[in-house]
Coordinates of all heavy atoms in Angstrom, one line a residue:
M1 N 30.9 -10.6 8.6 CA 30.0 -10.9 7.5 C 28.7 -10.1 7.5 O 27.6 -10.6 7.6 CB 29.6 -12.4 7.5 CG 30.8 -13.3 7.2 SD 30.4 -15.0 7.1 CE 29.5 -15.1 5.6
N2 N 28.9 -8.8 7.6 CA 27.7 -7.9 7.7 C 27.2 -7.6 6.3 O 28.0 -7.5 5.4 CB 28.1 -6.6 8.4 CG 28.5 -6.8 9.8 OD1 28.0 -7.7 10.5 ND2 29.5 -6.1 10.3
K3 N 25.9 -7.5 6.2 CA 25.4 -7.1 4.9 C 25.7 -5.6 4.7 O 25.8 -4.8 5.6 CB 23.8 -7.2 4.9 CG 23.4 -8.7 4.9 CD 21.9 -8.8 5.2 CE 21.1 -8.5 4.0 NZ 19.7 -8.8 4.3
P4 N 26.0 -5.2 3.4 CA 26.3 -3.8 3.1 C 25.1 -2.9 3.5 O 24.0 -3.3 3.3 CB 26.6 -3.8 1.7 CG 26.1 -5.1 1.1 CD 26.0 -6.0 2.2
Q5 N 25.4 -1.7 3.9 CA 24.4 -0.8 4.3 C 24.1 0.1 3.0 O 25.1 0.5 2.3 CB 24.8 0.1 5.4 CG 25.1 -0.6 6.7 CD 23.9 -1.3 7.2 OE1 22.9 -0.7 7.4 NE2 24.0 -2.6 7.5
L6 N 22.9 0.4 2.8 CA 22.5 1.3 1.7 C 22.6 2.7 2.2 O 22.1 3.1 3.2 CB 21.1 1.0 1.3 CG 20.7 1.7 -0.1 CD1 21.5 1.1 -1.2 CD2 19.2 1.5 -0.3
M7 N 23.4 3.5 1.5 CA 23.6 4.9 1.9 C 22.9 5.9 1.0 O 22.8 5.7 -0.2 CB 25.1 5.2 1.8 CG 25.6 6.5 2.4 SD 27.3 7.0 1.9 CE 27.0 7.8 0.4
H8 N 22.2 6.8 1.6 CA 21.6 7.8 0.8 C 22.6 8.6 -0.1 O 23.6 9.0 0.5 CB 20.8 8.8 1.6 CG 20.1 9.9 0.8 ND1 19.0 9.6 0.0 CD2 20.4 11.2 0.6 CE1 18.7 10.7 -0.7 NE2 19.5 11.7 -0.3
Y9 N 22.4 8.7 -1.3 CA 23.3 9.3 -2.2 C 22.6 10.3 -3.1 O 21.7 9.9 -3.9 CB 24.1 8.3 -3.0 CG 25.1 8.8 -4.0 CD1 26.2 9.5 -3.6 CD2 24.8 8.7 -5.4 CE1 27.1 10.0 -4.5 CE2 25.7 9.2 -6.3 CZ 26.9 9.9 -5.9 OH 27.7 10.4 -6.8
E10 N 22.9 11.5 -3.0 CA 22.3 12.5 -3.9 C 23.3 12.6 -5.1 O 24.4 13.0 -5.0 CB 22.2 13.8 -3.2 CG 21.3 14.8 -3.8 CD 20.0 14.8 -3.1 OE1 19.8 14.3 -2.0 OE2 19.1 15.4 -3.7
K11 N 22.7 12.3 -6.3 CA 23.6 12.4 -7.5 C 23.9 13.9 -7.8 O 23.0 14.7 -7.8 CB 22.8 11.8 -8.7 CG 23.7 11.6 -9.9 CD 23.0 10.8 -11.0 CE 23.9 10.7 -12.1 NZ 23.3 10.1 -13.3
P12 N 25.2 14.2 -7.9 CA 25.6 15.6 -8.2 C 25.0 16.1 -9.5 O 24.8 15.4 -10.4 CB 27.1 15.5 -8.4 CG 27.5 14.2 -7.7 CD 26.4 13.3 -7.9
K13 N 24.6 17.4 -9.4 CA 23.9 18.0 -10.6 C 25.0 18.6 -11.6 O 24.7 18.8 -12.7 CB 23.0 19.0 -10.1 CG 21.8 18.4 -9.4 CD 20.8 19.5 -9.0 CE 19.5 18.9 -8.3 NZ 19.8 18.0 -7.1
H14 N 26.1 18.9 -11.1 CA 27.1 19.6 -11.9 C 28.5 18.8 -11.7 O 28.8 18.3 -10.7 CB 27.3 21.0 -11.5 CG 28.0 21.8 -12.5 ND1 29.4 21.9 -12.4 CD2 27.6 22.6 -13.5 CE1 29.8 22.7 -13.4 NE2 28.8 23.1 -14.1
I15 N 29.3 18.8 -12.8 CA 30.6 18.2 -12.8 C 31.4 18.6 -11.6 O 32.2 17.8 -11.0 CB 31.3 18.4 -14.1 CG1 32.5 17.5 -14.2 CG2 31.6 19.8 -14.4 CD1 32.3 16.0 -14.5
K16 N 31.4 19.8 -11.2 CA 32.2 20.4 -10.1 C 31.8 19.8 -8.8 O 32.6 19.8 -7.8 CB 32.2 21.9 -10.1 CG 30.9 22.5 -9.6 CD 31.1 24.0 -9.5 CE 29.7 24.7 -9.3 NZ 28.9 24.2 -8.3
D17 N 30.6 19.2 -8.7 CA 30.1 18.7 -7.4 C 30.5 17.2 -7.2 O 30.4 16.6 -6.1 CB 28.6 18.7 -7.3 CG 28.1 20.2 -7.4 OD1 28.8 21.1 -6.9 OD2 27.0 20.4 -8.0
Y18 N 31.1 16.6 -8.2 CA 31.5 15.2 -8.1 C 32.7 15.1 -7.2 O 33.6 15.9 -7.3 CB 31.8 14.6 -9.5 CG 30.6 14.1 -10.2 CD1 29.9 14.9 -11.0 CD2 30.2 12.8 -10.1 CE1 28.7 14.5 -11.7 CE2 29.0 12.3 -10.7 CZ 28.3 13.2 -11.5 OH 27.2 12.7 -12.2
P19 N 32.7 14.0 -6.3 CA 33.9 13.9 -5.4 C 35.1 13.4 -6.2 O 35.0 12.7 -7.3 CB 33.4 12.8 -4.4 CG 32.4 12.0 -5.1 CD 31.7 13.0 -6.1
C20 N 36.3 13.7 -5.8 CA 37.5 13.3 -6.5 C 37.9 11.9 -6.0 O 38.8 11.3 -6.6 CB 38.6 14.3 -6.3 SG 39.1 14.6 -4.6
G21 N 37.3 11.4 -4.9 CA 37.6 10.0 -4.5 C 36.3 9.2 -4.5 O 35.4 9.6 -5.2
P22 N 36.3 8.1 -3.8 CA 35.1 7.3 -3.8 C 33.9 8.1 -3.2 O 34.1 8.9 -2.3 CB 35.4 6.1 -2.9 CG 36.9 6.1 -2.8 CD 37.4 7.5 -3.0
A23 N 32.7 7.8 -3.8 CA 31.5 8.6 -3.3 C 31.0 8.0 -2.0 O 30.2 8.7 -1.3 CB 30.5 8.5 -4.4
A24 N 31.3 6.8 -1.7 CA 30.7 6.2 -0.5 C 31.8 5.5 0.4 O 32.8 5.0 -0.2 CB 29.7 5.1 -0.9
P25 N 31.7 5.5 1.7 CA 32.7 4.8 2.5 C 32.6 3.3 2.4 O 31.6 2.8 1.9 CB 32.3 5.3 4.0 CG 30.9 5.8 3.9 CD 30.6 6.2 2.5
A26 N 33.6 2.6 2.8 CA 33.7 1.1 2.8 C 32.5 0.5 3.5 O 32.1 1.1 4.6 CB 35.0 0.6 3.3
G27 N 31.9 -0.6 3.0 CA 30.8 -1.2 3.7 C 29.5 -0.6 3.4 O 28.5 -1.0 4.0
T28 N 29.5 0.3 2.4 CA 28.2 0.9 2.0 C 28.0 0.8 0.5 O 29.0 0.7 -0.2 CB 28.0 2.4 2.5 OG1 29.1 3.1 1.8 CG2 28.1 2.6 3.9
L29 N 26.8 0.8 0.1 CA 26.5 0.9 -1.4 C 25.5 2.0 -1.6 O 24.7 2.3 -0.7 CB 25.9 -0.5 -1.8 CG 26.8 -1.7 -1.7 CD1 26.1 -3.0 -2.0 CD2 28.0 -1.6 -2.7
V30 N 25.5 2.6 -2.8 CA 24.6 3.7 -3.0 C 23.4 3.3 -3.8 O 22.4 4.1 -3.8 CB 25.4 4.9 -3.7 CG1 26.4 5.4 -2.8 CG2 26.0 4.4 -5.0
V31 N 23.4 2.2 -4.5 CA 22.2 1.8 -5.2 C 21.9 0.3 -5.0 O 22.9 -0.5 -4.8 CB 22.3 2.0 -6.7 CG1 22.1 3.5 -7.0 CG2 23.5 1.4 -7.3
K32 N 20.7 -0.2 -5.0 CA 20.4 -1.6 -5.0 C 20.5 -2.1 -6.5 O 20.7 -1.3 -7.4 CB 18.9 -1.8 -4.5 CG 18.8 -1.5 -3.1 CD 17.4 -1.9 -2.6 CE 17.3 -1.7 -1.1 NZ 16.0 -2.2 -0.6
N33 N 20.4 -3.4 -6.6 CA 20.5 -4.0 -8.0 C 19.6 -3.2 -8.9 O 18.4 -3.1 -8.7 CB 20.1 -5.4 -7.9 CG 19.9 -6.1 -9.3 OD1 20.7 -5.7 -10.2 ND2 19.0 -6.9 -9.4
A34 N 20.2 -2.7 -10.0 CA 19.5 -1.8 -10.9 C 18.6 -2.6 -11.9 O 17.9 -1.9 -12.7 CB 20.5 -0.9 -11.6
G35 N 18.6 -3.9 -11.8 CA 17.7 -4.6 -12.7 C 18.4 -5.1 -13.9 O 17.7 -5.7 -14.8
W36 N 19.7 -5.0 -14.0 CA 20.4 -5.5 -15.2 C 20.9 -6.9 -15.1 O 21.5 -7.5 -16.0 CB 21.5 -4.5 -15.6 CG 22.4 -4.1 -14.5 CD1 22.3 -2.9 -13.9 CD2 23.4 -4.9 -13.8 NE1 23.3 -2.9 -12.9 CE2 23.9 -4.0 -12.8 CE3 23.9 -6.1 -14.0 CZ2 24.9 -4.5 -12.0 CZ3 24.9 -6.6 -13.1 CH2 25.4 -5.7 -12.1
R37 N 20.7 -7.5 -13.9 CA 21.2 -8.9 -13.7 C 20.5 -9.9 -14.6 O 19.2 -9.8 -14.6 CB 21.1 -9.2 -12.2 CG 21.7 -10.5 -11.8 CD 21.6 -10.8 -10.3 NE 20.2 -10.8 -9.9 CZ 19.7 -10.3 -8.8 NH1 20.6 -9.8 -7.9 NH2 18.5 -10.4 -8.5
T38 N 21.2 -10.7 -15.3 CA 20.5 -11.6 -16.2 C 20.5 -13.0 -15.6 O 19.6 -13.9 -16.0 CB 21.2 -11.7 -17.6 OG1 22.6 -12.1 -17.4 CG2 21.1 -10.4 -18.3
R39 N 21.4 -13.3 -14.7 CA 21.4 -14.6 -14.0 C 21.6 -14.4 -12.5 O 22.2 -13.4 -12.1 CB 22.5 -15.5 -14.6 CG 22.4 -15.8 -16.1 CD 23.5 -16.7 -16.6 NE 23.3 -18.1 -16.2 CZ 22.4 -18.9 -16.8 NH1 21.7 -18.5 -17.8 NH2 22.3 -20.1 -16.4
K40 N 21.1 -15.3 -11.8 CA 21.2 -15.2 -10.3 C 21.6 -16.5 -9.7 O 21.2 -17.6 -10.1 CB 19.9 -14.6 -9.7 CG 18.7 -15.6 -9.7 CD 17.4 -15.0 -9.3 CE 17.3 -14.7 -7.9 NZ 15.9 -14.3 -7.5
P41 N 22.3 -16.4 -8.6 CA 22.7 -17.6 -7.9 C 21.7 -18.1 -6.9 O 21.1 -17.3 -6.2 CB 24.0 -17.2 -7.1 CG 23.8 -15.7 -6.9 CD 22.9 -15.2 -8.0
I42 N 21.5 -19.4 -6.9 CA 20.5 -20.0 -5.9 C 21.3 -21.0 -5.0 O 22.1 -21.8 -5.6 CB 19.4 -20.9 -6.7 CG1 18.6 -20.0 -7.6 CG2 18.5 -21.6 -5.7 CD1 17.7 -19.0 -6.9
V43 N 21.2 -20.9 -3.7 CA 21.9 -21.8 -2.8 C 21.1 -23.0 -2.5 O 19.9 -22.9 -2.1 CB 22.3 -21.1 -1.5 CG1 23.0 -22.0 -0.6 CG2 23.1 -19.8 -1.8
H44 N 21.6 -24.2 -2.9 CA 20.9 -25.4 -2.5 C 21.3 -25.8 -1.1 O 22.4 -26.3 -0.9 CB 21.2 -26.6 -3.5 CG 20.7 -26.3 -4.9 ND1 19.4 -26.3 -5.2 CD2 21.4 -26.0 -6.0 CE1 19.2 -26.0 -6.4 NE2 20.4 -25.8 -7.0
K45 N 20.5 -25.5 -0.1 CA 20.8 -25.6 1.3 C 21.2 -27.0 1.7 O 22.0 -27.2 2.6 CB 19.6 -25.1 2.2 CG 19.1 -23.7 1.9 CD 20.0 -22.6 2.5 CE 19.4 -21.3 2.2 NZ 20.1 -20.2 2.7
E46 N 20.6 -28.0 1.0 CA 20.9 -29.4 1.4 C 22.4 -29.8 1.1 O 23.0 -30.7 1.7 CB 19.9 -30.4 0.8 CG 20.0 -30.6 -0.7 CD 19.4 -29.5 -1.6 OE1 18.9 -28.5 -1.0 OE2 19.5 -29.6 -2.8
K47 N 23.0 -29.1 0.1 CA 24.4 -29.4 -0.3 C 25.3 -28.5 0.4 O 26.5 -28.7 0.5 CB 24.5 -29.2 -1.8 CG 23.8 -30.2 -2.7 CD 24.2 -29.9 -4.1 CE 23.4 -30.8 -5.1 NZ 23.6 -30.3 -6.5
C48 N 24.9 -27.3 0.9 CA 25.8 -26.3 1.5 C 26.3 -26.8 2.9 O 25.5 -27.2 3.7 CB 25.0 -25.0 1.7 SG 26.0 -23.7 2.5
T49 N 27.6 -26.7 3.0 CA 28.2 -27.1 4.3 C 28.5 -25.9 5.2 O 29.0 -26.0 6.3 CB 29.6 -27.8 4.1 OG1 30.5 -26.8 3.4 CG2 29.4 -29.0 3.2
G50 N 28.3 -24.7 4.7 CA 28.5 -23.5 5.5 C 30.0 -23.1 5.6 O 30.4 -22.4 6.5
C51 N 30.8 -23.6 4.6 CA 32.3 -23.4 4.7 C 32.6 -21.9 4.4 O 33.7 -21.5 4.7 CB 33.0 -24.3 3.7 SG 32.6 -23.8 1.9
C52 N 31.7 -21.2 3.8 CA 31.9 -19.7 3.5 C 33.0 -19.4 2.4 O 33.4 -18.2 2.3 CB 32.2 -18.9 4.8 SG 30.8 -18.8 5.8
L53 N 33.4 -20.4 1.7 CA 34.3 -20.1 0.6 C 33.7 -19.1 -0.4 O 34.4 -18.2 -0.9 CB 34.7 -21.4 -0.1 CG 35.8 -21.4 -1.1 CD1 37.1 -21.0 -0.4 CD2 36.0 -22.7 -1.8
C54 N 32.4 -19.3 -0.7 CA 31.7 -18.4 -1.6 C 31.8 -17.0 -1.1 O 31.9 -16.0 -1.9 CB 30.3 -18.8 -1.8 SG 29.4 -19.1 -0.3
Y55 N 31.6 -16.8 0.2 CA 31.7 -15.5 0.8 C 33.0 -14.8 0.5 O 33.1 -13.6 0.2 CB 31.4 -15.6 2.3 CG 31.9 -14.4 3.1 CD1 31.1 -13.2 3.1 CD2 33.1 -14.4 3.8 CE1 31.5 -12.1 3.9 CE2 33.5 -13.3 4.6 CZ 32.7 -12.2 4.6 OH 33.2 -11.1 5.3
L56 N 34.1 -15.6 0.6 CA 35.4 -15.0 0.4 C 35.6 -14.6 -1.0 O 36.4 -13.6 -1.3 CB 36.5 -16.1 0.8 CG 36.6 -16.4 2.3 CD1 37.6 -17.6 2.5 CD2 37.0 -15.2 3.1
Y57 N 35.0 -15.3 -1.9 CA 35.2 -14.9 -3.3 C 34.3 -13.9 -3.9 O 34.5 -13.2 -4.9 CB 35.0 -16.2 -4.2 CG 36.3 -17.0 -4.3 CD1 36.5 -18.1 -3.4 CD2 37.3 -16.8 -5.3 CE1 37.7 -18.8 -3.5 CE2 38.4 -17.5 -5.4 CZ 38.6 -18.5 -4.4 OH 39.8 -19.3 -4.5
C58 N 33.1 -13.7 -3.3 CA 32.1 -12.8 -3.8 C 32.7 -11.3 -3.8 O 33.0 -10.8 -2.8 CB 30.8 -12.8 -2.9 SG 29.6 -11.5 -3.5
P59 N 32.8 -10.7 -5.0 CA 33.3 -9.4 -5.1 C 32.4 -8.3 -4.5 O 32.8 -7.2 -4.3 CB 33.6 -9.2 -6.6 CG 32.6 -10.1 -7.2 CD 32.4 -11.2 -6.3
E60 N 31.1 -8.6 -4.3 CA 30.2 -7.6 -3.8 C 29.9 -7.7 -2.4 O 29.2 -6.8 -1.8 CB 28.9 -7.8 -4.6 CG 29.0 -7.6 -6.1 CD 29.4 -6.1 -6.4 OE1 28.8 -5.2 -6.0 OE2 30.5 -6.0 -7.2
G61 N 30.4 -8.7 -1.7 CA 30.1 -8.8 -0.2 C 28.6 -9.1 0.1 O 28.1 -8.6 1.1
T62 N 27.9 -9.8 -0.8 CA 26.5 -9.9 -0.7 C 26.1 -11.3 -0.1 O 24.9 -11.6 0.1 CB 25.8 -9.7 -2.0 OG1 26.3 -10.7 -2.9 CG2 26.0 -8.4 -2.6
I63 N 27.1 -12.1 0.3 CA 26.8 -13.4 0.8 C 26.9 -13.3 2.4 O 27.8 -12.7 2.9 CB 27.7 -14.5 0.3 CG1 27.5 -14.6 -1.2 CG2 27.5 -15.8 1.0 CD1 28.4 -15.6 -2.0
F64 N 25.9 -13.9 3.1 CA 26.0 -13.8 4.5 C 25.6 -15.1 5.2 O 25.0 -16.0 4.5 CB 25.0 -12.6 5.0 CG 23.6 -12.8 4.5 CD1 22.7 -13.5 5.3 CD2 23.2 -12.3 3.3 CE1 21.4 -13.7 4.8 CE2 21.9 -12.4 2.8 CZ 21.0 -13.1 3.6
K65 N 26.0 -15.3 6.4 CA 25.7 -16.5 7.1 C 24.3 -16.5 7.6 O 23.7 -15.5 8.0 CB 26.6 -16.5 8.4 CG 26.8 -17.9 9.0 CD 28.0 -18.6 8.4 CE 28.1 -20.0 9.1 NZ 29.2 -20.8 8.6
E66 N 23.6 -17.7 7.4 CA 22.2 -17.8 7.7 C 22.0 -19.3 8.2 O 22.0 -20.2 7.4 CB 21.4 -17.5 6.5 CG 19.9 -17.4 6.7 CD 19.2 -17.1 5.4 OE1 19.3 -17.8 4.4 OE2 18.5 -16.0 5.3
N67 N 21.7 -19.4 9.5 CA 21.4 -20.8 10.0 C 22.5 -21.8 9.6 O 22.1 -22.9 9.1 CB 20.0 -21.3 9.6 CG 18.9 -20.3 10.1 OD1 19.0 -19.7 11.1 ND2 17.9 -20.2 9.3
K68 N 23.7 -21.5 9.8 CA 24.9 -22.4 9.5 C 25.0 -22.7 8.0 O 25.8 -23.5 7.7 CB 24.8 -23.7 10.3 CG 24.8 -23.5 11.8 CD 24.9 -24.8 12.6 CE 25.0 -24.5 14.0 NZ 24.8 -25.7 14.9
K69 N 24.3 -22.0 7.2 CA 24.4 -22.1 5.8 C 24.7 -20.7 5.3 O 25.0 -19.8 6.1 CB 23.2 -22.6 5.1 CG 22.6 -23.9 5.7 CD 23.3 -25.1 5.2 CE 22.8 -26.4 5.9 NZ 23.3 -27.6 5.4
V70 N 24.6 -20.4 4.0 CA 24.7 -19.0 3.5 C 23.5 -18.5 2.8 O 22.7 -19.3 2.3 CB 26.0 -18.8 2.6 CG1 27.2 -19.0 3.4 CG2 25.9 -19.8 1.4
G71 N 23.3 -17.2 2.8 CA 22.2 -16.6 2.1 C 22.8 -15.6 1.2 O 24.0 -15.2 1.3
I72 N 22.0 -15.1 0.2 CA 22.5 -14.1 -0.7 C 21.6 -12.9 -0.7 O 20.3 -13.1 -0.8 CB 22.6 -14.7 -2.2 CG1 23.7 -15.8 -2.2 CG2 22.9 -13.6 -3.2 CD1 23.7 -16.6 -3.4
D73 N 22.1 -11.8 -0.6 CA 21.3 -10.5 -0.7 C 21.1 -10.1 -2.1 O 22.0 -9.6 -2.8 CB 22.0 -9.4 0.1 CG 21.2 -8.2 0.3 OD1 20.2 -8.0 -0.5 OD2 21.4 -7.4 1.2
Y74 N 19.9 -10.4 -2.6 CA 19.7 -10.1 -4.1 C 19.5 -8.7 -4.4 O 19.5 -8.3 -5.6 CB 18.5 -10.9 -4.5 CG 18.7 -12.4 -4.5 CD1 18.0 -13.2 -3.6 CD2 19.6 -13.0 -5.4 CE1 18.2 -14.6 -3.6 CE2 19.9 -14.4 -5.3 CZ 19.2 -15.2 -4.5 OH 19.4 -16.5 -4.4
D75 N 19.4 -7.8 -3.4 CA 19.4 -6.4 -3.6 C 20.7 -5.9 -4.2 O 20.8 -4.9 -4.9 CB 19.1 -5.6 -2.4 CG 17.6 -5.7 -2.0 OD1 16.8 -6.1 -2.8 OD2 17.3 -5.3 -0.8
F76 N 21.8 -6.6 -3.9 CA 23.1 -6.2 -4.3 C 23.9 -7.2 -5.1 O 24.9 -6.8 -5.7 CB 23.9 -5.8 -3.0 CG 23.3 -4.7 -2.2 CD1 22.7 -5.1 -1.0 CD2 23.1 -3.5 -2.7 CE1 22.1 -4.1 -0.2 CE2 22.5 -2.5 -1.9 CZ 22.0 -2.8 -0.7
C77 N 23.5 -8.4 -5.2 CA 24.2 -9.4 -6.1 C 24.1 -9.0 -7.5 O 23.1 -8.6 -8.0 CB 23.5 -10.8 -5.9 SG 24.0 -12.0 -7.1
K78 N 25.3 -9.0 -8.2 CA 25.3 -8.6 -9.6 C 25.2 -9.8 -10.6 O 25.3 -9.6 -11.8 CB 26.5 -7.7 -9.9 CG 27.8 -8.5 -9.7 CD 29.0 -7.5 -10.0 CE 30.3 -8.2 -9.8 NZ 31.4 -7.3 -9.9
G79 N 25.2 -11.0 -10.0 CA 25.0 -12.2 -10.9 C 26.2 -12.6 -11.7 O 26.1 -13.2 -12.7
C80 N 27.4 -12.3 -11.1 CA 28.6 -12.6 -11.9 C 28.9 -14.1 -11.9 O 29.6 -14.6 -12.8 CB 29.8 -11.9 -11.2 SG 30.2 -12.4 -9.5
G81 N 28.4 -14.9 -10.9 CA 28.6 -16.4 -10.9 C 29.9 -16.8 -10.3 O 30.1 -18.1 -10.3
I82 N 30.7 -15.9 -9.8 CA 31.9 -16.4 -9.1 C 31.7 -17.3 -8.0 O 32.4 -18.3 -7.8 CB 32.7 -15.1 -8.7 CG1 33.2 -14.3 -9.9 CG2 33.9 -15.5 -7.8 CD1 33.9 -13.0 -9.6
C83 N 30.7 -17.0 -7.2 CA 30.4 -17.9 -6.0 C 30.1 -19.3 -6.5 O 30.5 -20.3 -5.8 CB 29.2 -17.3 -5.2 SG 27.7 -17.0 -6.2
A84 N 29.3 -19.5 -7.6 CA 29.0 -20.8 -8.1 C 30.2 -21.6 -8.5 O 30.4 -22.8 -8.3 CB 28.0 -20.7 -9.2
R85 N 31.2 -20.8 -9.2 CA 32.4 -21.5 -9.6 C 33.3 -21.8 -8.4 O 34.0 -22.8 -8.4 CB 33.2 -20.5 -10.5 CG 32.5 -20.3 -11.9 CD 32.5 -21.5 -12.7 NE 33.8 -22.0 -13.1 CZ 34.5 -21.6 -14.2 NH1 33.9 -20.8 -15.1 NH2 35.7 -22.1 -14.5
A86 N 33.2 -21.0 -7.4 CA 34.1 -21.2 -6.2 C 33.6 -22.3 -5.3 O 34.4 -23.0 -4.7 CB 34.2 -19.9 -5.4
C87 N 32.3 -22.6 -5.3 CA 31.8 -23.6 -4.4 C 32.2 -25.0 -4.8 O 31.8 -25.5 -5.8 CB 30.3 -23.5 -4.3 SG 29.6 -24.8 -3.2
T88 N 33.0 -25.7 -4.0 CA 33.5 -27.0 -4.3 C 32.4 -28.1 -4.1 O 32.6 -29.2 -4.5 CB 34.7 -27.3 -3.5 OG1 34.4 -27.1 -2.1 CG2 35.9 -26.5 -3.9
H89 N 31.3 -27.7 -3.4 CA 30.3 -28.7 -3.1 C 29.1 -28.5 -4.2 O 28.1 -29.2 -4.0 CB 29.7 -28.4 -1.7 CG 30.8 -28.7 -0.7 ND1 31.1 -29.9 -0.2 CD2 31.6 -27.8 0.0 CE1 32.1 -29.8 0.7 NE2 32.4 -28.5 0.8
K90 N 29.3 -27.7 -5.1 CA 28.3 -27.5 -6.2 C 26.9 -27.2 -5.5 O 25.9 -27.6 -6.0 CB 28.2 -28.7 -7.1 CG 29.5 -29.1 -7.7 CD 29.5 -29.0 -9.2 CE 30.7 -29.4 -9.9 NZ 31.8 -28.5 -9.8
A91 N 27.0 -26.3 -4.5 CA 25.8 -26.0 -3.8 C 25.1 -24.7 -4.4 O 24.0 -24.4 -3.9 CB 26.1 -25.8 -2.3
I92 N 25.8 -24.0 -5.3 CA 25.2 -22.8 -5.8 C 25.0 -23.0 -7.3 O 25.9 -23.4 -8.1 CB 26.1 -21.6 -5.6 CG1 26.3 -21.3 -4.1 CG2 25.5 -20.3 -6.3 CD1 27.2 -20.1 -3.8
E93 N 23.8 -22.8 -7.7 CA 23.4 -22.9 -9.2 C 23.0 -21.6 -9.7 O 22.3 -20.8 -9.0 CB 22.3 -23.9 -9.3 CG 21.8 -24.1 -10.7 CD 20.5 -24.9 -10.7 OE1 20.0 -25.3 -9.6 OE2 19.9 -25.2 -11.8
M94 N 23.5 -21.2 -10.9 CA 23.1 -20.0 -11.6 C 21.9 -20.3 -12.4 O 21.9 -21.2 -13.3 CB 24.2 -19.5 -12.4 CG 25.5 -19.1 -11.7 SD 25.3 -17.8 -10.4 CE 24.9 -16.4 -11.5
I95 N 20.8 -19.5 -12.2 CA 19.6 -19.7 -13.0 C 19.3 -18.4 -13.7 O 19.9 -17.4 -13.4 CB 18.4 -20.1 -12.1 CG1 18.0 -19.0 -11.2 CG2 18.7 -21.4 -11.4 CD1 16.6 -19.2 -10.6
K96 N 18.5 -18.5 -14.7 CA 18.1 -17.3 -15.4 C 17.3 -16.4 -14.5 O 16.4 -16.9 -13.7 CB 17.2 -17.6 -16.6 CG 17.9 -17.6 -17.9 CD 16.9 -18.2 -18.9 CE 16.7 -17.5 -20.2 NZ 15.9 -18.2 -21.1
E97 N 17.5 -15.1 -14.6 CA 16.8 -14.1 -13.7 C 15.3 -14.3 -14.0 O 14.8 -14.3 -15.1 CB 17.2 -12.7 -14.1 CG 16.6 -11.6 -13.2 CD 17.1 -11.7 -11.7 OE1 18.3 -11.9 -11.5 OE2 16.2 -11.6 -10.8
G98 N 14.5 -14.5 -12.9 CA 13.1 -14.6 -13.0 C 12.6 -16.0 -13.2 O 11.4 -16.3 -13.2
E99 N 13.5 -17.0 -13.4 CA 13.2 -18.3 -13.8 C 12.4 -19.0 -12.6 O 11.5 -19.8 -12.8 CB 14.4 -19.2 -14.1 CG 14.2 -20.5 -14.7 CD 15.5 -21.2 -15.0 OE1 16.4 -20.6 -15.5 OE2 15.7 -22.4 -14.7
N100 N 12.7 -18.6 -11.4 CA 12.0 -19.2 -10.2 C 10.9 -18.3 -9.8 O 10.3 -18.4 -8.7 CB 13.0 -19.5 -9.1 CG 13.6 -18.2 -8.5 OD1 13.5 -17.1 -9.1 ND2 14.3 -18.3 -7.4
G101 N 10.5 -17.3 -10.6 CA 9.4 -16.4 -10.3 C 9.8 -15.3 -9.3 O 8.9 -14.5 -8.9
E102 N 11.1 -15.2 -8.9 CA 11.5 -14.1 -8.0 C 12.6 -13.3 -8.7 O 13.4 -13.8 -9.5 CB 12.1 -14.7 -6.8 CG 11.1 -15.4 -5.9 CD 11.8 -16.2 -4.8 OE1 13.0 -16.0 -4.5 OE2 11.1 -17.1 -4.2
Y103 N 12.6 -12.0 -8.4 CA 13.6 -11.1 -9.0 C 14.5 -10.5 -7.9 O 14.1 -10.6 -6.7 CB 13.0 -10.0 -9.8 CG 12.4 -10.5 -11.1 CD1 11.1 -11.0 -11.1 CD2 13.2 -10.5 -12.3 CE1 10.5 -11.5 -12.3 CE2 12.6 -11.0 -13.4 CZ 11.3 -11.5 -13.5 OH 10.8 -12.0 -14.6
Ligands
SF4_1 S1 31.1 -22.4 -0.8 FE1 29.3 -23.7 -1.2 S2 29.2 -25.1 0.6 FE2 30.6 -23.4 1.1 S3 29.2 -21.9 2.2 FE3 29.2 -21.4 0.0 S4 27.5 -22.4 -0.9 FE4 27.9 -23.4 1.1
SF4_2 S1 26.8 -14.0 -8.3 FE1 28.6 -12.7 -7.9 S2 27.8 -11.0 -6.8 FE2 26.2 -12.5 -6.7 S3 26.6 -13.6 -4.7 FE3 27.7 -14.7 -6.4 S4 29.8 -13.9 -6.4 FE4 28.4 -12.5 -5.2

């Protein structure tokens, strides 16, 4: 359950410089959340059992273990809401981006 590493990525200037495969190795990301997320997941720690089901479903790998519960890396979360749907304990709530004063 490692957090993804941010890799320095120089955007190619010419079409011939683009790689023919993935631009970054597994376990790395090339950009942080670009600011287009409209909703974000909030973990209600008192309801969370630490079962990690949300971690298994998150397509971005942005959920990590934190003091026997889970935390979310908002630098990389895209706000898809899959974790909230997957959590059988209803411990994750999707709120409007910025609603809690944090982005
Ligand atoms: S699925 Fe729900 S209860 Fe399980 S770790 Fe994730 S937030 Fe906590
Ligand atoms: S909203 Fe989507 S990307 Fe963000 S933590 Fe949940 S499942 Fe992962």
